Amino acid sequence: MRLRKLVPSELDEDQREVYEAIAGGDRSRGPQLFPLAQADGSLNGPYGVMLHAPRVGGPLQELGAALRFRTSLSDRIREIVILLVADRLGSEFQWWAHERIALATGLARQEIDAIRTDEFVGADEAESTAYALATDLLRGETLGDEDYARAVAVLGEQQLVELSVLVGYYRMLAQTMALFDVGVPED
């Protein structure tokens, strides 16, 4: 990583607040499918980057927690979309972390592999619609009125907003991790 890893003893008050929100918040509850921190306490993935700019990192981690734990999207749709973003943007950490979460939420290995080969078929119309819409957003395509009306009919307006923000958030994380050369932890 291009940024120095920050350990808890080095954090100022603002950084410590962000650290505690990440390490002690929703992400730390339930089964730990990937480690949030290294043995020295430094945070993995985008979380370590967020500590370097805590006034931005705090709201970013809160948005991430809202997207992971407080939307109306199904867990499967959320993880399908996150893996799609990770694959299309080449985000090694995102794929590594969310592949584990996707398996835990019920995606089969074949479904996960199909995302990489762009052969994914959803288990229902909502998953297929979310996958197609996220693909279009990642390509920078503008959704036509007919496609928009179909997406609203299947997902509803609230889920379209959540899906759009989900794609944008994970795209931003992938871009940030690419800039700072954040990869999969060695531990």
Side-chain angles (χ1 to χ4, degrees), residues 58-183:
L60 281 178
Q61 79 76 27
E62 177 55 33
L63 176 58
L67 290 168
R68 281 265 324 273
F69 303 107
R70 297 187 291 276
T71 69
S72 63
L73 296 169
S74 73
D75 291 344
R76 282 180 52 96
I77 287 175
R78 183 192 66 240
E79 295 307 318
I80 289 163
V81 170
I82 293 169
L83 287 175
L84 179 65
V85 174
D87 179 65
R88 297 309 184 268
L89 297 178
S91 182
E92 186 180 348
F93 180 87
Q94 274 180 358
W95 186 272
W96 173 81
H98 285 276
E99 179 179 38
R100 286 153 177 72
I101 298 169
L103 288 166
T105 62
L107 265 78
R109 167 61 45 208
Q110 309 87 284
E111 291 175 303
I112 292 170
D113 293 343
I115 292 170
R116 283 219 192 257
T117 59
D118 200 25
E119 298 171 346
F120 179 81
V121 177
D124 58 32
E125 191 176 10
E127 288 182 7
S128 295
T129 299
Y131 181 83
L133 180 58
T135 299
D136 287 346
L137 290 171
L138 288 166
R139 289 181 184 149
E141 295 179 11
T142 302
L143 204 61
D145 290 341
E146 283 183 34
D147 290 335
Y148 176 79
R150 188 175 69 76
V152 168
V154 173
L155 297 171
E157 291 176 340
Q158 178 177 335
Q159 286 192 357
L160 284 184
V161 171
E162 293 169 349
L163 182 69
S164 176
V165 174
L166 182 71
V167 170
Y169 178 77
Y170 279 91
R171 178 184 281 197
M172 181 273 311
L173 289 184
Q175 173 183 301
T176 300
M177 287 188 288
L179 174 64
F180 297 108
D181 196 25
V182 176

Side-chain angles (χ1 to χ4, degrees), residues 15-71:
Q15 291 169 323
R16 188 172 319 286
E17 187 176 312
V18 175
Y19 186 97
E20 290 303 321
I22 294 167
D26 289 333
R27 292 175 188 89
S28 67
R29 296 184 185 102
Q32 296 302 297
L33 301 170
F34 66 91
L36 289 172
Q38 295 288 305
D40 65 3
S42 62
L43 295 176
N44 288 321
Y47 310 119
V49 175
M50 290 175 187
L51 293 180
H52 285 273
R55 290 186 181 167
V56 172
L60 281 178
Q61 79 76 27
E62 177 55 33
L63 176 58
L67 290 168
R68 281 265 324 273
F69 303 107
R70 297 187 291 276
T71 69

